Amino acid sequence: MPDEPSDPSFNDDPQAKQASPETASDPDTGADVASDLKALLTENADMRDKLLRTMADMENLRRRTEREKVDTSRYAISNFARDVLTIGDNLRRVIEHVPADEAANDPALESFLEGVELTERELLKMMEKHGVTKLEPLGERFDPNQQQAMYEVPTTDVPEGTVVQVMQAGFSIGDRVLRPALVAVSKGGPKQAPASKAAPQEAPGFGPGGAANDDAPGKD
C-alpha cells in the first residue's frame, strides 16, 4: 500500500498552493496593474494642471481686485474735483481782471488781490495733495489727449503745432486727464520733428482729447 501524507492539512497549505504550477499568477493581472497605474498617473497630472490653473486664476483675480481698489480710491473724487475747478477758474478770472497798476496804487485793492492769489495757491495745493495736478502746456507740442485747440495762430516764430496761449488751465488726476486745457496752437511755422511714440499724432483739432471725460473705473 503506498504511503499517504502524514499531515492531513497538506492540501490546504497556502504556500503549497502558491508553489503549485497550476495556481501561478496570470500575466493579464500584471497588465491590468500597469494600466491602472498609468490611468492614476494621468489623472494625477490632470488634477495638478487644474490646480495650477486655478491658483493662477486666483492670483490674477487678486491683482485685478487690488488694481480696481487703487483706481477706485484714486479716481473716486473725479466729479467732485471737476466741480472744485470752477472755483479755481473764478479766482483766476478775478486775478486777471484786476489791473496791476491800479492794485499798485490802491493798498486796499492790492491787499484784496494778494488774498485772492493766496486762496488760489492754497486751493491748488489742496488739490495736488489729493492727486489733482495742473497741466502747463504753454510752449509745448500740442497734445490732443490733454488739450483742446480753440483756434490757430499764424506765426513763424515757433514750430507749427506749438501751444502759444492757454485760455483755461487743464488738470489731470493720476494718469488721466480730468479736464483738457483750452489752448491756441501755432500755424505756419517750421514743421516739428515726428514724435518718438509709436502712436500717430493727430493734427490740431477743435475737440477735446478722448481721455478728457474719464472718471472713476466706471463712468458716472
Side-chain angles (χ1 to χ4, degrees):
M1 178 180 291
D3 295 336
E4 294 182 357
S6 58
D7 186 357
S9 63
F10 174 81
N11 294 331
D12 297 333
D13 187 353
Q15 295 182 354
K17 290 183 179 181
Q18 184 176 1
S20 173
E22 296 179 359
T23 60
S25 60
D26 190 349
D28 293 339
T29 303
D32 292 341
V33 172
S35 177
D36 292 343
L37 179 60
K38 182 178 180 180
L40 288 174
L41 292 175
T42 302
E43 182 179 358
N44 180 71
D46 291 341
M47 293 180 64
R48 183 175 182 274
D49 182 67
K50 291 179 180 179
L51 176 61
L52 293 177
R53 290 177 182 273
T54 301
M55 292 176 63
D57 290 340
M58 293 299 295
E59 178 64 17
N60 291 335
L61 177 61
R62 184 190 67 80
R63 292 178 179 177
R64 185 165 58 251
T65 302
E66 286 294 326
R67 185 168 58 250
E68 291 176 352
K69 180 180 178 181
V70 172
D71 288 347
T72 300
S73 175
R74 179 180 299 171
Y75 303 116
I77 65 168
S78 293
N79 288 334
F80 172 76
R82 190 178 288 110
D83 291 337
V84 172
L85 293 182
T86 304
I87 301 175
D89 293 338
N90 291 333
L91 294 174
R92 174 47 45 183
R93 291 189 186 99
V94 171
I95 296 171
E96 292 177 349
H97 281 75
V98 175
D101 53 349
E102 291 187 12
N105 297 326
D106 188 339
L109 183 59
E110 184 178 18
S111 177
F112 168 76
L113 186 59
E114 290 176 353
V116 175
E117 291 175 341
L118 177 62
T119 303
E120 183 192 38
R121 287 195 298 269
E122 289 297 324
L123 177 64
L124 293 176
K125 185 183 299 184
M126 180 272 294
M127 296 182 67
E128 189 171 357
K129 179 180 178 182
H130 292 279
V132 180
T133 56
K134 186 177 181 180
L135 301 176
E136 302 287 353
L138 186 64
E140 298 181 355
R141 181 188 181 95
F142 175 75
D143 183 355
N145 295 315
Q146 295 187 350
Q147 298 124 33
Q148 179 179 348
M150 303 304 293
Y151 58 88
E152 295 176 327
V153 178
T155 178
T156 57
D157 296 337
V158 295
E160 183 170 340
T162 301
V163 176
V164 294
Q165 184 180 354
V166 179
M167 282 77 74
Q168 185 181 73
F171 288 84
S172 65
I173 179 169
D175 56 356
R176 300 181 183 180
V177 175
L178 181 64
R179 186 183 76 181
L182 304 183
V183 301
V185 183
S186 64
K187 179 182 180 182
K191 300 293 183 181
Q192 296 193 21
S196 58
K197 297 172 66 176
Q201 289 283 346
E202 298 180 10
F206 291 84
N213 294 325
D214 286 345
D215 284 333
K219 292 192 175 181
D220 296 333

